[in-house]
């Protein structure tokens, strides 16, 4: 149950979300941080962005830091059920009263802050109060003008992937999106890139060289192999026959079973491992065993998360664009489920590329239930059903109930299309009370 002190503060955040919506820019953040004593300068932070994979990479990075014995902070967005999930200390969501304390300080000095700015400021305040030793900050949108882009000298920066998403804000080409995300690069700070396509890679490298970021490492694409050319080191990451991931960094080889499911997580794990390997903090240098244990111990709810309910298997995944949907589809096929054994629960926001997602996920299942996630305007269930036949059940909690009734004991129920849909369904499956949805 939400602590009474937090309820009016959450109400105020919701008013800000509905009144201000999304507003990129850093002026308000710099002014508020100065008034708060610049807590972002008192702790070392990693900074991670990417169209997909940035949350998983951040979670793995934080897990490695905890394995190294650090007291950690992790800031991510959005939440699945509770606002406090966005700010974690040593792996646990912030206590309600601690979030209330942080928000009281923030709202007193930042009357014009947006919802996301207020939460980001609260994270820095809370991490300072908790006396963390290492923090991981996940970008909200893009990077260049994102509220998190206030770190002057992070431990390391990363772009996990680049795909078309938030095109109205970031641009409609991979190069434009990559340049925006590269806005977190800093002079003499390590850069790690996931397996980007040629267009995105060229743009990211151009920015990295312009600002003087170094060293620059990138995860090689399948079949590319390791190499070192000029200022860029390419390293390999792949799956071994026994299911372990093998990450071959210069002078360092890590082999481990990942705690997060899915073949796409190998590249994310490689980014996290490379960030740790390039940092100047000596405690991280005890390496391959430390990295292996951290990657194995990492957990990230709602990302290929399997939950048993009424004797049936439900697979939750926060795939919310075609790139993420393709990774989910690959995973479901790898499990050996034919369409006659899959029930799909799908819902998306109207301003997302839901047709591309549904074209990928629809053929996985011969039974489909369509829902309407809360937040911004959802894609209408009638439109979804018109593209791929299915049962319209707008309310997400009712949709998963209907899907459970449809599924047999050996079937798989797949829930995807929106992070907000996954959050509501997860709350229903686990009996969790959820805070309001903020679809920003």
């Amino acid at each position: 149950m939400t602590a009474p002190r937090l309820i009016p503060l959450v109400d105020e955040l919701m008013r800000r979300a509905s009144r201000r919506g999304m507003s990129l820019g850093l002026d308000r953040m710099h002014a508020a941080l100065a008034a708060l004593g610049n807590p972002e300068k008192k702790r070392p932070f990693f900074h991670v962005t990417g169209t997909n994979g940035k949350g998983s990479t951040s979670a793995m990075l934080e897990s490695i830091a905890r394995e190294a014995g650090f007291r950690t902070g992790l800031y991510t967005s959005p939440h699945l059920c509770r606002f406090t999930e966005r700010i974690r200390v040593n792996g646990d969501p912030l206590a309600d009263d601690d979030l209330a304390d942080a928000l009281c300080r923030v709202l007193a000095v930042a009357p014009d802050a947006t919802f996301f700015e207020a939460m980001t400021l609260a994270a820095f305040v809370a991490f300072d109060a908790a006396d963390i030793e290492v923090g991981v900050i996940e970008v909200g949108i893009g990077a260049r003008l994102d509220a998190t882009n206030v770190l002057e000298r992070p431990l390391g920066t990363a772009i996990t992937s680049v795909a078309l998403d938030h095109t109205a804000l970031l641009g409609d080409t991979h190069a434009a999106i990559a340049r925006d995300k590269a806005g977190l690069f800093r002079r003499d700070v390590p850069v790690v890139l996931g397996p980007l396509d040629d267009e995105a890679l060229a743009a990211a490298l151009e920015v990295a060289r312009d600002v003087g970021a170094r060293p620059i490492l990138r995860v090689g694409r399948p079949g590319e192999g390791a190499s070192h050319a000029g200022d860029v080191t390419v390293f390999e990451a792949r799956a071994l026959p026994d299911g372990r991931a093998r990450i071959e960094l210069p002078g360092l080889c890590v082999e481990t079973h990942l705690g997060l499911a899915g073949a796409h997580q190998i590249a994310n794990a490689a980014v996290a491992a490379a960030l740790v390997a390039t940092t100047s903090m000596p405690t991280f240098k005890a390496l391959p065993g430390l990295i292996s244990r951290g990657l194995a111990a990492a957990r990230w709810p709602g990302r290929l998360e399997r939950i048993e309910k009424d004797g049936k298997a439900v697979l939750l995944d926060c795939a919310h664009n075609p790139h993420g949907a393709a990774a989910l589809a690959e995973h479901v096929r790898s499990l050996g489920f034919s369409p006659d054994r899959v029930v799909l629960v799908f819902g998306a926001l109207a301003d997302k590329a839901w047709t591309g997602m549904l074209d990928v996920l629809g053929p996985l299942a011969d039974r489909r239930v369509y829902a309407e996630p809360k937040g911004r305007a959802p894609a209408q269930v009638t439109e979804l059903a018109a593209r791929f036949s299915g049962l319209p059940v707008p309310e997400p909690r009712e949709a998963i109930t209907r899907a459970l009734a449809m599924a047999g004991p050996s079937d798989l129920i797949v829930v995807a299309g929106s992070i907000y849909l996954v959050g509501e369904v997860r709350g229903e499956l686990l009996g969790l009370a959820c805070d309001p949805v903020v679809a920003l």
Side-chain angles (χ1 to χ4, degrees):
M1 181 179 296
T2 303
R5 290 182 59 227
L6 187 57
I7 293 172
L9 297 168
V10 168
D11 290 342
E12 171 59 21
L13 289 179
M14 295 303 296
R15 282 192 293 272
R16 290 178 181 227
S18 61
R19 184 172 66 245
R20 296 288 305 278
M22 190 184 306
S23 178
L24 298 179
L26 297 174
D27 290 345
R28 289 183 299 273
M29 286 295 298
H30 285 303
L33 286 166
L36 292 165
N38 290 113
E40 83 288 0
K41 296 181 180 180
K42 299 177 182 178
R43 315 284 161 178
F45 293 97
F46 291 99
H47 204 184
V48 181
T49 189
T51 306
N52 293 302
K54 62 183 183 290
S56 297
T57 299
S58 296
M60 288 189 270
L61 189 54
E62 186 273 340
S63 182
I64 296 169
R66 253 189 298 138
E67 188 64 35
F70 289 111
R71 182 169 174 80
T72 62
L74 174 64
Y75 177 59
T76 60
S77 60
H79 59 275
L80 291 179
C81 283
R82 298 290 320 285
F83 283 117
T84 54
E85 295 169 13
R86 295 171 179 243
I87 304 172
R88 294 174 181 263
V89 173
N90 257 8
D92 294 323
L94 198 64
D96 282 11
D97 283 335
D98 291 339
L99 178 57
D101 289 343
L103 284 172
C104 282
R105 288 193 60 196
V106 166
L107 298 179
V109 302
D112 296 326
T114 65
F115 168 87
F116 187 70
E117 288 168 346
M119 287 299 296
T120 303
L121 291 165
F124 286 124
V125 169
F127 292 152
D128 190 36
D131 199 24
I132 69 160
E133 297 168 294
V134 174
V136 181
I137 304 295
E138 179 200 17
V139 168
I141 292 176
R144 186 174 62 90
L145 296 176
D146 185 75
T148 66
N149 197 22
V150 292
L151 302 174
E152 292 182 357
R153 190 171 177 81
L155 291 169
T157 60
I159 300 176
T160 57
S161 67
V162 171
L164 296 179
D165 201 6
H166 300 295
T167 54
L169 295 170
L170 307 181
D172 58 4
T173 67
H174 285 193
I177 294 171
R179 286 192 189 94
D180 193 287
K181 294 183 185 302
L184 52 68
F185 296 167
R186 300 289 189 268
R187 176 173 296 279
D188 295 327
V189 171
V191 165
V192 180
L193 305 174
L196 309 184
D197 65 27
D198 289 341
E199 181 185 352
L201 177 62
L205 290 177
E206 179 183 5
V207 176
R209 288 163 177 153
D210 284 347
V211 303
R214 59 180 182 178
I216 303 171
L217 288 80
R218 68 177 181 88
V219 182
R221 289 168 288 198
E224 186 173 11
S227 66
H228 184 85
D231 56 351
V232 180
T233 297
V234 183
F235 65 99
E236 289 187 281
R238 65 184 187 277
L240 296 174
D242 63 1
R244 290 179 301 160
R246 180 181 175 90
I247 301 166
E248 299 181 43
L249 288 157
L252 172 69
C253 181
V254 175
E255 294 183 354
T256 189
H257 287 283
L258 300 182
L260 303 186
H264 60 286
Q265 294 291 7
I266 295 176
N268 295 331
V271 172
L275 283 168
V276 168
T278 57
T279 185
S280 59
M281 294 187 73
T283 310
F284 279 121
K285 299 303 181 183
L287 290 170
L290 183 157
I291 294 177
S292 296
R293 294 190 299 274
L295 294 176
R299 300 293 182 268
W300 197 224
R303 282 72 178 179
L304 292 181
E305 181 184 16
R306 189 165 175 145
I307 295 175
E308 298 292 326
K309 179 70 172 180
D310 300 335
K312 298 171 183 178
V314 182
L315 185 68
L316 304 176
D317 193 67
C318 287
H320 60 286
N321 51 47
H323 186 263
L328 169 59
E330 179 183 354
H331 180 71
V332 172
R333 285 192 291 268
S334 75
L335 297 176
F337 284 93
S338 56
D340 62 337
R341 292 182 55 207
V342 178
V343 180
L344 174 67
V345 178
F346 181 87
L349 299 180
D351 59 0
K352 292 291 187 177
W354 64 264
T355 56
M357 285 188 277
L358 191 52
D359 287 348
V360 171
L361 298 177
L364 292 177
D366 67 0
R367 289 152 291 169
R368 306 173 197 92
V369 181
Y370 296 127
E372 295 179 357
K374 296 180 176 64
R376 296 192 304 275
Q380 299 297 303
V381 289
T382 52
E383 293 183 88
L384 303 179
R387 189 164 187 93
F388 256 101
S389 62
L391 178 66
V393 184
E395 172 55 47
R397 291 176 182 260
E398 175 62 22
I400 188 60
T401 299
R402 298 292 290 273
L404 286 164
M406 288 181 182
S410 63
D411 291 343
L412 180 69
I413 301 170
V414 176
V415 182
S418 168
I419 297 173
Y420 311 104
L421 172 68
V422 168
E424 279 200 81
V425 169
R426 189 173 190 270
E428 177 69 15
L429 293 173
L430 298 178
L432 303 175
C434 291
D435 290 333
V437 170
V438 183
L440 297 178

